[in-house]
Amino acid sequence: MNYQLLDFPIHGDHNGNLIALEKGKDFPFDIRRVYYIWGTKSDIIRGKHAHKNLEQVIVCVSGSCDFVLNNGTVKETVHLDNPSKGLYVKHNIWREFTNFSKDCVLMVLASEYYSESDYIRNYDEFLKESRG
Ligand code: T46
């Protein structure tokens, strides 16, 4: 499947923890966009789309949620609950995310600017593309 769980190095001391992400060193692509998601009710299902080219790293900076990733053949669920882990999702992966804790905050780092034309929002179209 076209995803990876990245482990970010933590600078921790008696003051608490800090994670720094630097281009070319700790990160798989040049970041063009950052967005945040919070305040989603537990049973809501977000996502329901794939991307043609976009790559993203999703960090659950607070709380928890579940990502269900699907490449058209295999489905895997990834539980995110740790700000030192980054879910690196490449292109052509159908994603749905749900089971949001009340304090869930997701920070998403994206390889491209927002473009609706990069989205595949129709599941049948996604299956057709992913199965060639
Ligand atoms: C993804 C998951 C993790 C913008 O105007 N700019 C943006 O950069 C984004 C991401 C969204 N929007 C607008 C488009 C919609 O009117 O915000 C609204 C909600 O977007 P969407 O329904 O696509 O949000 P999610 O939470 O379903 O999905 C988002 C990303 O779109 C997606 O790439 O992987 O977060």
Side-chain angles (χ1 to χ4, degrees), residues 53-84:
N53 293 304
L54 184 71
E55 298 194 353
Q56 304 193 101
V57 173
I58 300 152
V59 184
C60 190
V61 291
S62 165
S64 63
C65 70
D66 290 328
F67 269 77
V68 182
L69 303 176
N70 172 354
N71 65 5
T73 314
V74 179
K75 255 189 205 177
E76 285 180 38
T77 300
V78 181
H79 182 67
L80 289 185
D81 63 357
N82 184 338
S84 74

Side-chain angles (χ1 to χ4, degrees), residues 92-109:
N92 284 336
I93 298 279
W94 187 267
R95 82 272 334 255
E96 298 187 359
F97 49 118
T98 188
N99 285 340
F100 298 92
S101 65
K102 272 212 165 95
D103 56 348
C104 181
V105 181
L106 295 172
M107 174 179 72
V108 185
L109 307 136

Side-chain angles (χ1 to χ4, degrees), residues 33 35 37 46-49 51 54 56 58 67 95 97 108 114 116 119 121:
R33 179 166 52 110
Y35 58 93
I37 297 171
R46 299 190 69 119
K48 300 183 190 163
H49 61 255
H51 285 282
L54 184 71
Q56 304 193 101
I58 300 152
F67 269 77
R95 82 272 334 255
F97 49 118
V108 185
Y114 175 71
E116 189 55 40
Y119 282 71
R121 294 196 184 268

Side-chain angles (χ1 to χ4, degrees), residues 8-44:
F8 301 132
I10 303 173
H11 304 274
D13 60 19
H14 61 279
N15 291 322
N17 300 310
L18 182 153
I19 288 176
L21 304 174
E22 290 191 13
K23 174 178 159 183
K25 221 163 117 190
D26 313 287
F27 217 75
F29 51 76
D30 288 356
I31 299 163
R32 291 210 167 72
R33 179 166 52 110
V34 178
Y35 58 93
Y36 307 91
I37 297 171
W38 75 100
T40 302
K41 288 202 176 109
S42 167
D43 58 344
I44 296 288

